[in-house]
Amino acid sequence: MSKRVRTAVFPVAGLGTRFLPATKAMPKEMLTVVDRPLIQYAVDEAREAGIEHFVFVTGRNKAVIEDHFDRQFELEATLESRGKTQALEELQKDLPSAGRTSFTRQQEPLGLGHAVWCARDIVGDQPFALLLPDMIFKAKPGVLKQMMDAYEERPGNIIGVEECAWEDVSSYGVVVRGDGPDQGFAINGMVEKPKREDAPSNLFISGRYILQPEIFTLLAEQTRGAGGEIQLTDAMQTLMGQQPFTGVKYEGKVYDCGSKLGFLTANVVFALDRPDIRPGFIDELKKLDLEDQL
């Protein structure tokens, strides 16, 4: 019987250089899509999937993330005294319960694989989910929940994937698809940023994983790859020779909020999905007379 996935790891130590100067003093994970920080979307997705322990791999100048997931007594008291019960309930709803969060440091920017390895002692000998907060999803149920369902059927390592246009495959890591339905097919390999003519598929890896703890041993032994960093993909390819990997072509769409274009698009999409904002937002968009700019 496979072990239940109870823990999620969130790598939040990145410098956010693509969003300077906004991220000079504020973590990129605290940039907001409408009125919620990017990291909150990832945590909400994990909570919906049944995650009980939230592990944040942080770096310098990231203390505000820890503060975000803590209680703010002065703010709560002020909201209560002013009768703003809805806002107070919203704040409290977003908080993981006491003892459910852990924070550890990645002292050097040595890549995603190194960030994951930094969580090894907290995760222990258990499978875990890995969520990249830059990537937020418009999906119901959430992408990780869809992956958890696949994990129940096919224990092992799970990777969430989405189709991209063939002309865009050179921008992504793509998988070699094996047998099985979209909800859970065998992955026979991974290729990082292939040329279109060499791409084995147009299914790209989109920042959601369920991994077995043996990945930590491989990461500890992993030689540095591109950019002098410890690459998670290299370790996963090694693990693929020892354990099964399953792909889940989830229902939904990802927005890469690590890029300015993806971030702006996500703000529009999520704003239009909000009943309290949509009517007024559409009115404002009409006033811009966008047809003259498109």
Side-chain angles (χ1 to χ4, degrees), residues 159-229:
I159 298 179
V161 298
E162 183 175 324
E163 273 190 349
C164 67
W166 280 97
E167 55 266 26
D168 295 333
V169 292
S170 61
S171 299
Y172 300 103
V174 300
V175 301
V176 180
R177 179 167 183 163
D179 294 334
D182 286 350
Q183 295 77 19
F185 58 86
I187 292 179
N188 295 331
M190 289 173 277
V191 182
E192 190 67 27
K193 297 181 179 180
K195 294 179 181 179
R196 175 174 178 170
E197 58 270 23
D198 299 328
S201 77
N202 65 335
L203 296 172
F204 69 93
I205 300 169
S206 55
R208 295 294 184 268
Y209 313 80
I210 295 173
L211 298 171
Q212 298 301 310
E214 287 78 12
I215 196 75
F216 292 124
T217 301
L218 298 176
L219 288 169
E221 301 167 351
Q222 186 70 51
T223 56
R224 298 189 185 188
E229 297 182 341

Side-chain angles (χ1 to χ4, degrees), residues 17-269:
T17 53
R18 288 187 287 178
F19 275 90
L20 287 170
T23 50
K24 179 181 178 181
M26 181 178 68
K28 65 176 180 177
E29 296 82 10
M30 292 301 294
L31 295 173
T32 56
V33 170
V34 188
D35 54 4
R36 301 175 73 76
L38 292 175
I39 187 62
Q40 187 68 59
Y41 285 95
V43 167
D44 291 345
E45 181 186 337
R47 186 190 285 116
E48 178 200 9
I51 293 298
E52 300 171 4
H53 189 188
F54 306 84
V55 180
F56 301 87
V57 182
T58 71
R60 285 179 290 277
N61 301 320
K62 300 280 186 168
V64 67
I65 295 176
E66 188 168 352
D67 291 340
H68 178 73
F69 292 105
D70 197 359
R71 293 190 64 182
Q72 298 286 345
F73 291 101
E74 296 85 354
L75 175 60
E76 291 177 13
T78 300
L79 292 173
E80 186 172 11
S81 67
R82 295 179 180 177
K84 296 183 179 294
T85 55
Q86 184 175 350
L88 181 59
E89 290 171 359
E90 190 73 19
L91 283 180
Q92 294 172 341
K93 175 177 68 70
D94 289 342
L95 292 180
S97 57
R100 298 292 190 182
T101 56
S102 296
F103 296 83
T104 189
R105 284 288 186 102
Q106 182 187 21
Q107 283 87 356
E108 299 179 79
L110 295 179
L112 176 59
H114 182 257
V116 173
W117 179 79
C118 287
R120 68 199 182 282
D121 288 337
I122 299 175
V123 174
D125 188 25
Q126 301 291 326
F128 63 99
L130 173 64
L131 297 91
L132 307 190
D134 285 356
M135 315 298 279
I136 69 171
F137 295 81
K138 193 78 170 49
K140 290 183 180 181
V143 168
L144 187 59
K145 176 65 170 65
Q146 296 179 47
M147 293 169 62
M148 288 285 206
D149 293 342
Y151 181 79
E152 294 295 321
E153 298 293 327
R154 300 184 63 163
N157 303 275
I158 312 289
I159 298 179
V161 298
E162 183 175 324
E163 273 190 349
C164 67
W166 280 97
E167 55 266 26
D168 295 333
V169 292
S170 61
S171 299
Y172 300 103
V174 300
V175 301
V176 180
R177 179 167 183 163
D179 294 334
D182 286 350
Q183 295 77 19
F185 58 86
I187 292 179
N188 295 331
M190 289 173 277
V191 182
E192 190 67 27
K193 297 181 179 180
K195 294 179 181 179
R196 175 174 178 170
E197 58 270 23
D198 299 328
S201 77
N202 65 335
L203 296 172
F204 69 93
I205 300 169
S206 55
R208 295 294 184 268
Y209 313 80
I210 295 173
L211 298 171
Q212 298 301 310
E214 287 78 12
I215 196 75
F216 292 124
T217 301
L218 298 176
L219 288 169
E221 301 167 351
Q222 186 70 51
T223 56
R224 298 189 185 188
E229 297 182 341
I230 297 173
Q231 301 293 335
L232 178 65
T233 301
D234 293 341
M236 288 195 299
Q237 288 176 321
T238 302
L239 186 59
M240 196 174 295
Q242 307 166 16
Q243 296 180 354
F245 272 71
T246 298
V248 173
K249 184 172 178 279
Y250 51 80
E251 295 182 11
K253 181 170 177 55
V254 67
Y255 296 92
D256 180 4
C257 293
S259 72
K260 294 182 179 72
L261 183 59
F263 177 73
L264 292 171
T265 303
N267 267 280
V268 173
V269 169

